[in-house]
Amino acid sequence: NAGVMQNPRHLVRRRGQEARLRCSPMKGHSHVYWYRQLPEEGLKFMVYLQKENIIDESGMPKERFSAEFPKEGPSILRIQQVVRGDSAAYFCASSTTSGASTDTQYFGPGTRLTVL
Amino acid sequence: KQEVTQIPAALSVPEGENLVLNCSFTDSAIYNLQWFRQDPGKGLTSLLLIQSSQREQTSGRLNASLDKSSGRSTLYIAASQPGDSATYLCAVMNSGGSNYKLTFGKGTLLTVNP
């Protein structure tokens, strides 16, 4: 059973370009979470999705950021018109259920975005 | 708003030492608490998960304790090895309507010297 897969692992963009980050959850997992780790900061929750639904996007910046988890295919985190402050590691996690006290979120290796 | 603090921020010990990493959280209404390990350039690996009703969990040389009322957890590593060198993250999941969000501390960077 492959773990959570993220690609690309490293992404370099110039200011103003778009960044697309992909996450394939573990097999059998229907809950996906995105977290961002800024330099010298802890991981911060961004968004929680289930198939075709955004459940909670309270951690997402209001502008330029969007996320989706379509019926088929990976979850996508999209950042439009990137700025240097978007440079960070973006982690995706998945779980089988949500809200169970024993449920573990399994994390992918992350995508390290660098904005020049 | 839940806040998680980890002390110390960095720790360097000689091989073989026993050590304790500390985690504190401000809101005791938690669902569970997890300790993760993060290696440079890698993802997070879950080490131990303690449910809110539990006091401790053990896995091999690792033991994590939870005192929910005081908002504290410790991760005890016995007989440390160079391969234990990594950043250790503490994360809590709050109870209530958002019992899926993990709130992380900034981590403790552990270096075990041969």
Side-chain angles (χ1 to χ4, degrees), chain A residues 25-43:
Chain A
M26 286 180 70
K27 188 175 180 180
H29 287 194
S30 58
H31 301 257
V32 166
Y33 316 83
W34 286 91
Y35 293 83
R36 177 167 68 173
Q37 186 175 35
L38 292 166
E40 309 302 323
E41 295 289 325
L43 277 80

Side-chain angles (χ1 to χ4, degrees), chain B residues 6-87:
Chain B
Q6 291 188 245
I7 294 173
L11 181 64
S12 181
V13 299
E15 182 177 3
E17 268 205 9
N18 302 324
L19 58 100
V20 174
L21 307 181
N22 297 290
C23 172
S24 61
F25 46 95
T26 54
D27 184 351
S28 63
I30 66 168
Y31 219 47
N32 62 43
L33 180 144
Q34 279 186 268
W35 284 93
F36 292 88
R37 169 184 173 138
Q38 183 176 25
D39 292 281
K42 302 283 181 64
L44 281 66
T45 301
S46 180
L47 298 173
L48 291 164
L49 183 151
I50 311 177
Q51 299 175 47
S52 61
S53 58
Q54 297 176 322
R55 293 300 298 262
E56 66 177 343
Q57 281 285 350
T58 298
S59 175
R61 294 183 293 109
L62 305 180
N63 175 276
S65 68
L66 173 64
D67 184 340
K68 199 172 71 163
S69 61
S70 68
R72 295 185 184 190
S73 175
T74 61
L75 179 65
Y76 175 82
I77 302 177
S80 59
Q81 302 171 358
D84 295 331
S85 297
T87 297

Side-chain angles (χ1 to χ4, degrees), chain A residues 9-10 33 35 37 40-45 48 55-56 58-59 91 98-110 112, chain B residues 1 31-34 36 38-46 49-52 89 93 98-107:
Chain A
R9 296 288 304 276
H10 299 273
Y33 316 83
Y35 293 83
Q37 186 175 35
E40 309 302 323
E41 295 289 325
L43 277 80
K44 297 275 196 281
F45 168 84
Y48 162 40
I55 308 302
D56 183 349
S58 60
F91 290 95
S98 173
S101 64
T102 56
D103 195 33
T104 297
Q105 293 181 14
Y106 293 86
F107 282 78
R112 278 144 186 89
Chain B
K1 179 188 171 187
Y31 219 47
N32 62 43
L33 180 144
Q34 279 186 268
F36 292 88
Q38 183 176 25
D39 292 281
K42 302 283 181 64
L44 281 66
T45 301
S46 180
L49 183 151
I50 311 177
Q51 299 175 47
S52 61
L89 301 174
M93 183 177 288
S98 298
N99 55 349
Y100 46 78
K101 289 182 191 178
L102 289 172
T103 302
F104 285 84
K106 293 184 181 181

